[in-house]
Amino acid sequence: QVQLVESGGGLVQAGGSLRLSCAASGRTFSSYTMGWFRQAPGKEREFVATISWSGGRPYYTDSVKGRFTISRDNAKNTVYLQMNSLKPEDTAVYYCAATIQTLTIRDYEYNYWGQGTQVTVSS
């Protein structure tokens, strides 16, 4: 098993930036594909980004391409989501997740989840 703890959320004005972190413990971090998901009030949870165990082949949902960057530092057991040019539509609770499968955007294929961190983007 693996335990995940997100941090870095907060309130930011439109056009600003935040960097989310997800610290992992309990298992070998490099064994897992990592993903970021988000859920806004009244909406379904949606995929944001994913990255392989090696840090290669990152993949993003269309709405964040060019603005968000997912990365990982296996030596620190941490995955990051750098969010630039934030929009009010990005407001949501952001979750990191882990899976032993290869890259996937499907939330039901992720086995471990963090508690979430709130991101609020004001107009």
Side-chain angles (χ1 to χ4, degrees):
Q1 67 180 64
V2 62
Q3 295 79 47
L4 306 174
V5 179
E6 303 97 332
S7 62
L11 175 64
V12 65
Q13 291 184 300
S17 298
L18 285 173
R19 189 177 77 160
L20 305 184
S21 299
C22 177
S25 63
R27 297 289 295 275
T28 302
F29 178 71
S30 61
S31 298
Y32 293 88
T33 294
M34 301 297 297
W36 286 96
F37 294 80
R38 66 187 182 186
Q39 187 167 27
K43 296 186 178 180
E44 298 292 325
R45 182 168 59 192
E46 67 172 336
F47 165 78
V48 177
T50 188
I51 189 168
S52 71
W53 65 268
S54 67
R57 299 188 296 125
Y59 184 78
Y60 306 89
T61 192
D62 286 345
S63 64
V64 308
K65 286 181 178 178
R67 299 189 298 119
F68 290 11
T69 302
I70 187 171
S71 62
R72 66 191 297 162
D73 187 338
N74 290 342
K76 297 181 179 179
N77 292 336
T78 302
V79 63
Y80 305 95
L81 186 68
Q82 178 67 46
M83 305 185 294
N84 298 326
S85 302
L86 283 162
K87 305 175 181 179
E89 307 91 87
D90 296 318
T91 295
V93 176
Y94 284 70
Y95 300 90
C96 67
T99 178
I100 62 172
Q101 298 192 38
T102 54
L103 288 178
T104 178
I105 66 171
R106 304 175 181 90
D107 58 357
Y108 55 83
E109 293 184 342
Y110 284 79
N111 302 300
Y112 305 102
W113 294 82
Q115 82 289 350
T117 186
Q118 177 71 47
V119 172
T120 303
V121 184
S122 62
S123 301

